[in-house]
């Protein structure tokens, strides 16, 4: 269980005179919840996603992004209370990911020369390693160093080498997840996203989330460029994340379409770098029917 | 400053005669060596890219004659023969196949091509003949050179007769010596007869005190194929030229290169193909990575001759820079004298893509590990073109080692 909490988040493009994009975002996403973040182009949806994940192109000028983990999850691992609350803004992108933040990209990078299987296994092991370091107790570590003559240990994962997912074990995990998502196994040995269709890339993003088992998945327009069959596959994958892994999902989208398949618990409307309206699934339907102008009118009239 | 001003008194015409005599060479070959030795002083340095006000590789301070060590015995050479081919040390080659040597020695690389090649022709003792008689097929000929002297002048002649085929893997590495300034020179001539095929892969991993100059050139007859893989990971100042002349109708060549420069390395890579006959095909692909203060210079030439009807010729070069202090220059050139040609050429220089990097770090992979994966991945499309499995794996391992020690 985890909660992602954005408080008064302000961010700008990280360059001199860079444009201010986020202007005080407040949002809370908990495990097992599905939140839809909607809004017109340029309203700050994607920036919100990238800032949560730690994209270096943006600079946070005010506010906080906190991740609260549930102690029950770490019952047997003697994790300190202090290690259950993280200010993500203090962490590197890979550390945020290791704590359970997953960003599903609108335009995933195409990385030539790195096969899917190699990338995903490396990512999974890196997550296990990084978590071990993040939750490492210094005293325990010192004792372990003495005991094991430098052997790196972790209160979460045990010895790092022992905790590593081997090639065969990983292949089995990958095959199972790919089958669930109706992906052809040949994808595993292709270069990461290189030459993938738009739909295949999005499916691949969901596959990665399924393997990395995040606490919170921020999916940036994961529905764009999908035909109806692929939309169904991707939606099934998102539901599985929530239902089987308890992942909290922040679903960024322009359209109602994906919300027909993955019904959100909460819908938020973003305008000009702020969340200006929140509601239930009916809000998404209203937006689909009437667009965003009425929200804008409401906000400005209220102001 | 020319090579002659620092000529070592220990290297004279007598040295050349002694080397030639020691190898049992016939008079005509001794004469070629002596003529090359006499001429090397007057010959120009190897060509480098010039642009107004700038010569991109500085060879002024390279003085091979001063570094020439008449005793090259401290260097070791392993030759692993394969079924179908004769792989002979030079003295044996001279003894057993004088007619092959007489026909082909110096036929592709002019012994007086430039001052450095001339000196190499005069002084080489570590020669090898790879001879594949007509109709024979030989795989995995391996030549390993371990350079343990102040200098090494290396020579290899590969002759694949009609309908013969051979794959050759050559490695050069350094053994411990007291010399802090070393010179390696390698000349390779490859002759592919009608319908013959030669694949020649090189992995140069000499130490950083070594100036390494190499010329590899091949000539392919009708429907002949010559494929080169040129891997440069070691050396201080490196200048590597790889060339194919497509002399027969329907002949083909691929020149695939990979380099990884670090510290103060300077890597000058030149690829060239001359299309002289009809229906010839060439593909030139090079990828390089530069770190620290390393620098690369790439020149690729596709020269389509007047008689080269129906030519296909493609060239790509990409350099990835890992530091702000590395520098890369690339100059792909396409010379077309026949309009019945399909050709393209391109070169790019760039840094690690920040979006690629963020994508990987967003999946838990630490920054440095992500960069390393991107670098290894950058080489993969080129390594995929290497048909010599052992060479490909060795290069992968060396790249991984290089990244690990960053």
């Amino acid at each position: 269980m985890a909660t992602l909490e954005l408080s008064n988040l302000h961010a700008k493009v990280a360059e001199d005179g860079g444009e201010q994009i986020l202007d005080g975002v407040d949002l809370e996403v908990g495990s097992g919840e599905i939140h839809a973040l909607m809004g017109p182009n340029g309203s700050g949806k994607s920036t919100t996603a990238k800032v949560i994940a730690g994209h270096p192109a943006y600079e946070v000028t005010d506010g906080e992004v906190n991740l609260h983990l549930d102690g029950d999850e770490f019952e047997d691992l003697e994790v300190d209370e202090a290690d259950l609350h993280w200010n993500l803004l203090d962490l590197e992108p890979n550390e945020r990911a290791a704590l359970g933040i997953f960003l599903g990209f609108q335009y995933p990078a195409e990385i030539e020369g790195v096969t899917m299987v190699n990338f995903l296994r490396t990512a999974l092991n890196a997550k296990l390693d990084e978590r071990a370091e993040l939750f490492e107790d210094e005293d325990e570590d010192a004792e372990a160093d003495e005991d094991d003559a430098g052997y790196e240990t972790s209160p979460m994962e045990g010895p790092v080498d022992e905790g590593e997912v081997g090639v065969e074990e990983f292949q089995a995990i990958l095959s199972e997840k790919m089958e669930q998502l109706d992906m052809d196994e040949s994808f595993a040995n292709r270069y990461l996203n290189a030459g993938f269709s738009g739909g295949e890339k999005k499916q691949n993003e969901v596959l990665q989330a399924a393997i990395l088992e995040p606490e919170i998945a921020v999916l940036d327009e994961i529905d764009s460029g999908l035909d109806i069959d692929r939309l169904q596959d991707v939606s099934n994958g998102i539901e599985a994340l929530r239902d089987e892994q308890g992942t909290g999902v922040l679903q960024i989208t322009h359209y109602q379409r994906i919300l027909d398949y993955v019904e959100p618990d909460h819908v938020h409307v973003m305008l000009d770098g702020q969340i200006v309206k929140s509601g239930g699934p009916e809000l998404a339907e209203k937006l689909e029917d009437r667009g965003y102008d009425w929200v804008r009118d409401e906000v400005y009239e209220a102001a | 400053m020319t090579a002659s001003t620092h000529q070592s008194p220990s290297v004279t015409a007598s040295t050349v005669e002694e080397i030639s005599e020691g190898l049992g060479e016939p008079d005509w070959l001794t004469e070629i060596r002596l003529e090359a030795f006499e001429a090397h002083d007057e010959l120009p340095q190897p060509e480098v890219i010039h642009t107004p006000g700038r010569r991109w590789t500085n060879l002024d301070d390279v003085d091979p004659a001063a570094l020439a060590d008449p005793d090259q015995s401290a260097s070791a050479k392993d030759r692993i023969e394969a079924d179908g081919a004769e792989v002979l040390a030079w003295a044996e080659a001279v003894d057993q196949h004088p007619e092959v040597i007489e026909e082909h020695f110096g036929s592709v690389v002019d012994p007086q091509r430039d001052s450095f090649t001339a000196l190499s022709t005069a002084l080489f003792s570590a020669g090898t003949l790879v001879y594949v008689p007509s109709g024979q097929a030989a795989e995995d000929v391996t030549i390993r050179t371990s350079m343990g002297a102040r200098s090494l002048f290396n020579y290899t002649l590969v002759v694949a007769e009609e309908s013969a085929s051979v794959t050759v893997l050559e490695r050069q590495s350094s053994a411990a010596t007291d010399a802090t300034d070393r010179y390696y020179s390698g000349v390779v001539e490859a002759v592919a007869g009608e319908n013959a095929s030669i694949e020649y892969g090189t992995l140069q991993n000499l130490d950083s005190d070594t100036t390494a100059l190499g010329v590899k050139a091949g000539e392919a007859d009708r429907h002949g194929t010559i494929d080169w893989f040129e891997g440069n990971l070691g050396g201080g100042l490196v200048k590597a030229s790889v060339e194919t002349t497509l002399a027969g109708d329907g002949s083909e060549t691929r020149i695939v290169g990979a380099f990884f420069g670090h510290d103060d390395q300077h890597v000058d890579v030149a690829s060239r193909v001359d299309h002289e006959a009809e229906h010839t095909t060439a593909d030139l692909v090079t990828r390089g990575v530069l770190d620290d203060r390393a620098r690369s210079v790439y020149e690729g030439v596709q020269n389509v001759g007047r008689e080269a009807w129906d030519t296909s010729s493609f060239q790509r070069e990409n350099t990835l820079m890992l530091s702000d202090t590395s520098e890369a220059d690339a100059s792909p050139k396409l010379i077309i004298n026949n309009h019945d040609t399909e050709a393209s050429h391109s070169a790019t220089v760039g840094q690690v893509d920040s979006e690629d990097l963020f994508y990987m770090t967003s999946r838990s992979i630490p920054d440095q590990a992500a960069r390393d994966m991107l670098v290894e991945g950058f080489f993969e499309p080129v390594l995929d073109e290497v048909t010599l499995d052992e060479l490909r794996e060795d290069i992968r391992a060396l790249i991984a080692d290089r990244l690990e020690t960053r």
Side-chain angles (χ1 to χ4, degrees):
Chain A
M1 294 286 288
T3 306
L4 174 70
E5 186 183 30
L6 279 57
S7 311
N8 191 36
L9 185 63
H10 287 70
K12 70 182 204 51
V13 174
E15 58 188 40
D16 286 346
E19 185 188 356
Q20 188 78 26
I21 299 178
L22 302 187
D23 196 22
V25 180
D26 294 294
L27 181 65
E28 199 171 299
V29 180
S31 290
E33 298 174 355
I34 294 189
H35 291 244
L37 181 60
M38 305 182 75
N41 281 334
S43 57
K45 304 186 301 296
S46 290
T47 301
T48 302
K50 288 177 178 172
V51 167
I52 292 168
H55 197 296
Y58 300 97
E59 180 185 332
V60 173
T61 52
D62 200 3
E64 293 183 358
V65 179
N66 291 302
L67 181 68
H68 306 286
L69 302 172
D70 191 320
D72 292 348
E73 191 181 336
F74 304 100
E75 227 170 26
D76 303 331
L77 301 169
E78 296 175 16
V79 170
D80 286 351
E81 178 66 22
D83 285 344
L84 296 174
H85 305 282
W86 295 88
N87 177 1
L88 295 186
L89 301 181
D90 291 340
L91 300 176
E92 296 296 320
N94 65 303
E95 294 172 321
R96 301 181 196 202
L99 284 175
I101 299 295
F102 181 90
L103 174 60
F105 286 72
Q106 185 177 2
Y107 302 109
E110 295 190 19
I111 299 177
E112 203 178 26
V114 177
T115 60
M116 286 266 293
V117 63
N118 186 24
F119 172 70
L120 284 172
R121 193 174 80 85
T122 303
L124 183 56
N125 282 320
K127 177 176 177 169
L128 297 176
D129 277 355
E130 194 61 57
R131 281 176 80 89
E133 281 188 29
L134 287 168
F135 292 114
E136 192 170 77
D137 181 286
E138 285 179 15
D139 294 335
E140 285 182 28
D141 188 41
E143 284 172 27
D145 282 351
E146 282 174 25
D147 292 348
D148 300 330
Y151 197 56
E152 192 179 359
T153 60
S154 142
M156 279 195 65
E157 306 296 342
V160 169
D161 288 345
E162 283 182 16
E164 186 159 293
V165 180
V167 173
E168 280 183 30
E169 186 186 353
F170 182 74
Q171 194 70 52
I173 297 171
L174 183 60
S175 295
E176 184 194 332
K177 300 290 185 187
M178 289 181 99
E179 196 177 331
Q180 282 173 5
L181 283 163
D182 198 22
M183 290 179 78
D184 192 302
E185 282 206 21
S186 65
F187 277 80
N189 292 311
R190 288 174 61 181
Y191 291 156
L192 183 59
N193 291 323
F196 285 27
S197 70
E200 287 164 348
K201 286 179 185 169
K202 299 303 172 69
Q203 214 167 5
N204 189 21
E205 294 295 282
V206 176
L207 171 71
Q208 292 178 40
I211 285 169
L212 294 173
E213 301 189 349
E215 306 284 353
I216 305 291
V218 181
L219 305 176
D220 189 5
E221 299 202 24
I222 204 88
D223 52 341
S224 63
L226 296 183
D227 61 32
I228 195 72
D229 291 337
R230 199 77 74 172
L231 183 64
Q232 182 78 62
D233 291 336
V234 165
S235 301
N236 290 344
I238 295 169
E239 289 199 318
L241 282 178
R242 176 191 59 184
D243 298 341
E244 293 171 21
Q245 299 171 15
T247 302
V249 176
L250 179 59
Q251 175 74 65
I252 293 170
T253 184
H254 265 304
Y255 309 107
Q256 165 69 23
R257 203 168 66 129
I258 192 167
L259 305 179
D260 289 338
Y261 295 95
V262 185
E263 186 173 315
D265 303 297
H266 306 277
V267 175
H268 312 277
V269 182
M270 195 163 202
L271 284 179
D272 303 325
Q274 291 180 317
I275 290 176
V276 295
K277 194 171 188 62
S278 296
E282 72 288 347
L283 178 55
E285 288 167 20
K286 194 170 173 184
L287 291 169
E288 180 76 4
D289 289 344
R290 298 177 55 188
Y292 293 100
D293 285 348
W294 65 275
V295 184
R296 197 178 293 278
D297 291 344
E298 265 188 31
V299 171
Y300 289 141
E301 277 169 25
Chain B
M1 180 161 51
T2 65
S4 63
T5 55
H6 284 168
Q7 186 167 318
S8 164
S10 60
V11 178
T12 63
S14 300
T15 313
V16 177
E17 285 172 330
E18 281 167 24
I19 292 170
S20 186
E21 191 182 343
L23 292 165
E25 290 180 346
D27 291 346
W28 67 264
L29 188 46
T30 310
E31 276 308 306
I32 288 179
R33 285 181 180 264
L34 285 169
E35 284 168 13
F37 185 73
E38 290 305 318
H40 91 273
D41 240 5
E42 308 300 327
L43 290 166
Q45 288 185 340
E47 284 183 17
V48 297
I49 302 176
H50 279 267
T51 50
R54 187 169 188 185
R55 193 158 52 145
W56 291 9
T57 295
N58 179 12
L59 297 174
D60 286 349
D61 297 331
V62 179
D63 193 348
L67 293 171
D69 187 345
D71 179 12
Q72 298 174 47
S73 59
S75 293
K77 196 154 186 165
D78 285 340
R79 299 175 180 86
I80 300 175
E81 196 159 315
D83 286 348
E86 290 183 56
V87 183
L88 302 171
W90 197 243
E92 295 172 315
V94 164
D95 181 49
Q96 294 176 32
H97 291 291
E99 74 294 343
V100 174
I101 294 173
E102 185 158 15
E103 184 178 354
H104 297 294
F105 183 88
S107 68
V108 189
V109 177
D110 179 353
Q112 298 188 23
R113 167 191 169 110
D114 54 56
S115 61
F116 291 9
T117 305
L119 192 70
S120 199
T121 302
L123 296 179
F124 82 85
S125 57
T128 303
L129 170 68
V130 178
Y131 174 56
V132 193
S134 180
Q136 296 291 309
E139 289 184 4
D140 300 332
V141 170
T142 304
I143 303 169
R144 293 193 197 99
T145 306
S146 174
M147 182 175 165
R150 193 176 66 202
S151 68
L152 178 62
F153 297 92
N154 211 350
Y155 175 82
T156 307
L157 174 62
V158 183
V159 177
E161 292 184 338
E162 183 179 340
S163 298
S165 67
V166 63
T167 63
V168 182
L169 170 53
E170 184 191 7
R171 287 193 189 83
Q172 297 130 14
S173 58
S174 297
T177 71
D178 295 334
T180 54
D181 197 8
R182 300 190 235 181
Y183 180 77
Y184 173 88
S185 170
V187 174
V188 176
E189 294 188 273
V191 182
E194 185 170 339
N195 198 40
S197 166
I198 296 173
E199 282 182 69
Y200 196 101
T202 306
L203 178 49
Q204 180 271 113
N205 192 33
L206 295 160
D207 74 20
S208 59
D209 291 332
T210 306
T211 295
L213 279 92
V215 176
K216 297 184 177 71
E219 184 167 306
D221 202 345
R222 195 162 174 267
H223 298 298
T225 300
I226 299 180
D227 291 338
W228 303 98
F229 181 84
E230 176 76 11
N232 282 293
L233 278 94
L237 170 60
V238 176
K239 179 162 172 50
S241 299
V242 183
E243 303 165 2
T244 305
T245 301
L246 297 172
D249 290 354
S251 53
E252 299 179 14
T253 191
R254 282 190 315 148
I255 301 176
V256 179
F259 61 84
F260 192 161
H262 72 146
D263 292 339
D264 288 322
Q265 267 183 288
H266 179 109
V267 184
D268 180 326
V269 177
S271 302
R272 180 183 178 101
V273 58
D274 289 294
H275 296 264
E276 292 184 351
E278 298 181 16
H279 316 296
T280 57
T281 302
D283 196 13
L284 282 57
V285 188
T286 297
R287 285 201 171 195
V289 171
L290 296 175
D291 200 359
D292 305 322
R293 298 165 306 286
R295 176 188 170 86
S296 72
V297 178
Y298 171 84
E299 183 177 39
V301 178
Q302 301 150 274
N303 181 24
V304 182
R306 292 174 63 89
E307 306 305 319
W309 297 92
D310 185 27
T311 290
S312 296
S313 193
F314 305 99
Q315 178 179 193
R316 288 148 287 158
E317 197 274 343
N318 308 99
T319 310
L320 180 68
M321 293 192 297
L322 304 183
S323 73
D324 293 335
T325 46
S326 55
E327 193 181 0
D329 298 295
S331 173
K333 292 176 185 158
L334 184 50
I335 304 162
I336 299 182
N337 293 302
N338 187 305
H339 62 80
D340 186 13
T341 296
E342 187 183 359
S344 67
H345 65 310
S346 67
T348 65
V349 175
Q351 296 187 322
V352 169
D353 185 280
S354 60
E355 289 301 317
D356 290 356
L357 191 61
F358 177 63
Y359 188 77
M360 298 185 85
T361 56
S362 79
R363 300 296 185 253
S364 303
I365 300 173
D367 186 87
Q368 194 56 57
R371 286 175 192 275
D372 291 353
M373 280 187 92
L374 288 170
V375 172
E376 289 175 305
F378 177 78
F379 278 115
E380 276 305 307
V382 166
L383 294 179
D384 278 348
E385 300 219 17
V386 179
T387 49
L388 304 158
D389 294 344
E390 190 182 335
L391 177 64
R392 187 172 56 243
E393 291 312 314
D394 284 354
I395 291 175
R396 278 196 184 122
L398 284 174
I399 289 167
D401 286 350
R402 173 70 51 87
L403 291 168
E404 216 166 80
T405 54
R406 288 188 75 212

